[in-house]
Amino acid sequence: MRRPTIVAIGGFTSEVGKTTLMCDLLRAFPGWEAIKTTRGHYRSCGKEPDSCCVSHLLSNEPLIRSGREETYASGKDTGRYWDAGASKVHWVIVTEEQVELGIKSALARVSAPGVFVEGNSFTEFVEVDFMLMVARAGGGKIKSTARQALSKASAVYLSELANDGSAAREAFARWRRASVADKLIGNLPVYTRDDLPQLVAQLQRIHLGLAA
């Protein structure tokens, strides 16, 4: 059986709109699955266990929770995936050293024709078919995992909710001109929420081409 089409949803930083985009895409691709990757802080960034919300779940092996019973929580990212129509949700909880094994084990559980994966660091170990890097129009700080993932990115997605894609593009262009990140972004195409139908159509073409 051919592996699923893999679409990665990364972000410049936390709280930038990745989950909202994941849910928009899940609604456009009924039957697809979703994977949430969480890289635990304890033992990977030096923080104390009580400062990491998943530290109590970390162990010597990656933890993968699959299915509604194990992953649904109202208002949480994984719960939002279910509410958006995901056919199955997997939550990968790992230390920095477990990312590769964790994501590959989760992908092995996917039976749908396609899967959306939220996260940055896993792209170092998995070949994705398309990757969107989510950013605010004002740019801002880019975390280290995002800088690495930008080399795998296919496009940038500006997550502003206002229906004014041209203003978002202009603000992002101004930020780029003043930022050292401009070279990292290079010639990547930039989408806004106004362009969501075109983005969905592009992903459909990619998926159909891979399935042919």
Side-chain angles (χ1 to χ4, degrees):
M1 185 178 73
R2 197 191 74 82
R3 73 161 178 81
T5 299
I6 303 172
V7 177
I9 310 296
F12 277 21
T13 188
S14 302
E15 306 298 329
V16 76
K18 298 187 300 295
T19 302
T20 297
L21 176 59
M22 282 273 289
C23 292
D24 287 338
L25 293 175
L26 283 164
R27 282 186 282 268
F29 288 83
W32 280 35
E33 298 182 28
I35 296 175
K36 168 78 175 181
T37 60
T38 300
R39 197 172 55 149
H41 294 154
Y42 182 48
R43 298 180 183 170
S44 65
C45 77
K47 291 185 178 180
E48 294 300 318
D50 59 6
S51 68
C52 175
C53 62
V54 297
S55 64
H56 63 291
L57 299 175
L58 299 174
S59 68
N60 293 328
E61 297 292 334
L63 173 62
I64 304 170
R65 292 182 167 178
S66 298
R68 191 177 185 90
E69 186 174 333
E70 291 193 33
T71 61
Y72 186 85
S74 180
K76 298 294 187 180
D77 291 354
T78 51
R80 291 175 63 188
Y81 299 163
W82 284 109
D83 292 340
S87 62
K88 196 169 187 179
V89 174
H90 312 272
W91 185 21
V92 180
I93 305 160
V94 291
T95 64
E96 186 172 359
E97 295 78 14
Q98 297 168 349
V99 174
E100 180 176 10
L101 178 58
I103 187 59
K104 289 182 176 179
S105 298
L107 286 169
R109 298 187 182 189
V110 174
S111 58
V115 60
F116 295 104
V117 188
E118 182 176 333
N120 289 328
S121 55
F122 80 93
T123 57
E124 181 181 351
F125 308 106
V126 174
E127 182 180 351
V128 301
D129 300 302
F130 197 88
M131 181 173 192
L132 287 157
M133 289 297 292
V134 182
R136 298 293 187 192
K141 182 179 179 181
I142 304 178
K143 61 184 181 180
S144 59
T145 57
R147 289 177 177 273
Q148 295 169 357
L150 270 168
S151 65
K152 306 290 182 67
S154 309
V156 173
Y157 180 85
L158 304 181
S159 60
E160 266 63 22
L161 294 176
N163 292 322
D164 191 350
S166 60
R169 289 177 185 276
E170 290 170 6
F172 191 66
R174 287 195 299 272
W175 171 77
R176 285 189 60 169
R177 288 194 292 269
S179 172
V180 295
D182 185 59
K183 290 184 178 179
L184 291 173
I185 298 166
N187 295 320
L188 290 177
V190 177
Y191 291 93
T192 70
R193 288 188 63 83
D194 290 353
D195 304 315
L196 193 58
Q198 294 93 316
L199 175 58
V200 168
Q202 182 175 2
L203 293 177
Q204 288 172 335
R205 287 192 296 270
I206 291 170
H207 175 59
L208 291 173
L210 292 169

